[in-house]
Amino acid sequence: MAPALSLFLMAGSWTDPGFPEAITAMTIGVLFFAAADLARRAGKHVEARMLKATGGRHENRELTFEDTTIEQATKARYREFLAAQVGIAAPTRESETQDSAAARSFYAACYDYLRLNTYDTEKFRILFNENIAYGYLRNLLGLKPYAIGINIAAALAAWALYKYPPPFASMTDGKLMIQAGLAVWHVLYLSLGVTERSVLAASKRYARQLTFSCETLILNRKV
């Protein structure tokens, strides 16, 4: 939406706005709402593809003995607390290896419990922010091919307005350079900064913070 909006703002006649500017403004406003829903759908589609190997679920491993993200003594406290909440015995280091299916079931139940009990955005502000960051990158990755296409189309439209200016719009040398520069910058950002790797990194940050939310839940139980 950004390239289309910038093209509209630069090419429109704002000294004497008329019917074309009004219609375009209304159209862009409607498209913003539609784009939000499209972004979520596209993001969910990408997420399902990325998680195909795990059946479409995030396989959180931060509580396992094998994972080194969190210190072992801290994980032991969290496993003990969560085992009491979900009503399932926590696996030992040996049973985690010998009965991996039971261990995965335990950890899945633990993370389901954590997700369901961390909706309070005031108590879990950092977790909330990490979730937003993950959702933003996931949705942007889903929109990536469309966004690159819109940037190219907007740059071509700007060139067409510059070359063949209609009576209701104008495109100067400076405006054309700005539009082209924005398009190039946006495409580079999407190509280099929005990747499956960056989405997975954001997912790991969220999972780590979700695991650390045990501290708040444990303290609340003691009060």
Side-chain angles (χ1 to χ4, degrees), residues 48-130:
R49 187 190 72 218
M50 292 173 63
L51 301 177
K52 188 176 182 180
T54 57
R57 289 177 60 94
H58 288 277
E59 189 175 24
N60 302 105
R61 302 188 55 80
E62 285 73 17
L63 283 171
T64 65
F65 287 91
E66 182 182 6
D67 193 89
T68 58
T69 303
I70 299 172
E71 202 271 329
Q72 290 293 343
T74 301
K75 289 192 293 186
R77 287 195 301 111
Y78 293 171
R79 283 194 295 266
E80 181 182 1
F81 166 74
L82 290 167
Q85 307 312 309
V86 301
I88 305 173
T92 62
R93 184 183 292 273
E94 291 74 22
S95 66
E96 185 176 287
T97 303
Q98 294 169 359
D99 192 353
S100 59
R104 285 196 301 271
S105 179
F106 169 76
Y107 293 126
C110 288
Y111 280 100
D112 284 344
Y113 172 85
L114 289 175
R115 291 186 188 94
L116 290 171
N117 286 273
T118 52
Y119 284 134
D120 190 329
T121 58
E122 291 301 319
K123 288 183 179 179
F124 303 98
R125 172 62 60 180
I126 298 176
L127 178 65
F128 178 64
N129 290 338
E130 293 291 1

Side-chain angles (χ1 to χ4, degrees), residues 156-195:
L156 291 174
W159 177 84
L161 289 173
Y162 173 77
K163 199 73 173 176
Y164 311 103
F168 56 83
S170 65
M171 182 63 61
T172 63
D173 291 350
K175 290 178 179 180
L176 180 61
M177 292 299 294
I178 292 173
Q179 182 68 40
L182 287 172
V184 169
W185 177 87
H186 205 198
V187 168
L188 285 174
Y189 168 68
L190 290 167
S191 301
L192 302 177
V194 183
T195 62

